[in-house]
Amino acid sequence: MGSVLAVGVLDDWNGLGQDIILFLVGTVLVIMWLVSIAAVWGATRSVVKAGATAIGGAVVLGIIASQTVLSGRVADEIEKDHSALPAPAAVVKAESTGGEQL
């Protein structure tokens, strides 16, 4: 009974550690994104360049956020059984009956 409780506690701590790491990584990435927008704005005073930085950073953050979904889909596609594909076509050679030549 004690070992089951210890495993549960270790799983809880492991899950909490993973949650903290995800939170910190997400927070650091968002802060870096905001700082890059502010740095571009401060250096150029251009709304277009700051907007492009914001959009580019948002795309990168979106890719990072969906990485687990994308990697799962790729793994499923690699492991998929492709044996249900249709068999190759057969070639039939027709014999001439005589008479006409083409």
Side-chain angles (χ1 to χ4, degrees), residues 7 10-11 13-14 16 29 40 45 47-48 53-54 58 70 72-73 75-76 79 81 85 90 93-94:
V7 170
L10 290 175
D11 286 342
W13 278 103
N14 189 23
L16 180 63
L29 288 175
V40 168
R45 297 283 187 221
V47 174
V48 174
T53 302
L70 294 175
R73 287 184 181 173
D76 289 345
E79 294 171 359
D81 182 18
L85 295 175
K93 187 174 182 181

Side-chain angles (χ1 to χ4, degrees), residues 4-20:
V4 173
L5 179 62
V7 170
V9 170
L10 290 175
D11 286 342
D12 289 344
W13 278 103
N14 189 23
L16 180 63
Q18 292 297 326
D19 291 343
I20 291 171

Side-chain angles (χ1 to χ4, degrees), residues 27-43 53:
T27 303
V28 168
L29 288 175
V30 170
I31 290 171
M32 288 174 57
W33 177 56
L34 294 173
V35 167
S36 69
I37 295 170
V40 168
W41 170 254
T53 302

Side-chain angles (χ1 to χ4, degrees), residues 40-88:
V40 168
W41 170 254
T44 64
R45 297 283 187 221
S46 170
V47 174
V48 174
K49 290 180 182 180
T53 302
I55 291 171
V59 168
V60 170
L61 288 175
I63 291 170
I64 291 170
S66 63
Q67 181 180 5
T68 56
V69 174
L70 294 175
S71 65
R73 287 184 181 173
V74 169
D76 289 345
E77 185 63 28
I78 290 172
E79 294 171 359
K80 188 185 282 186
D81 182 18
H82 294 286
S83 63
L85 295 175

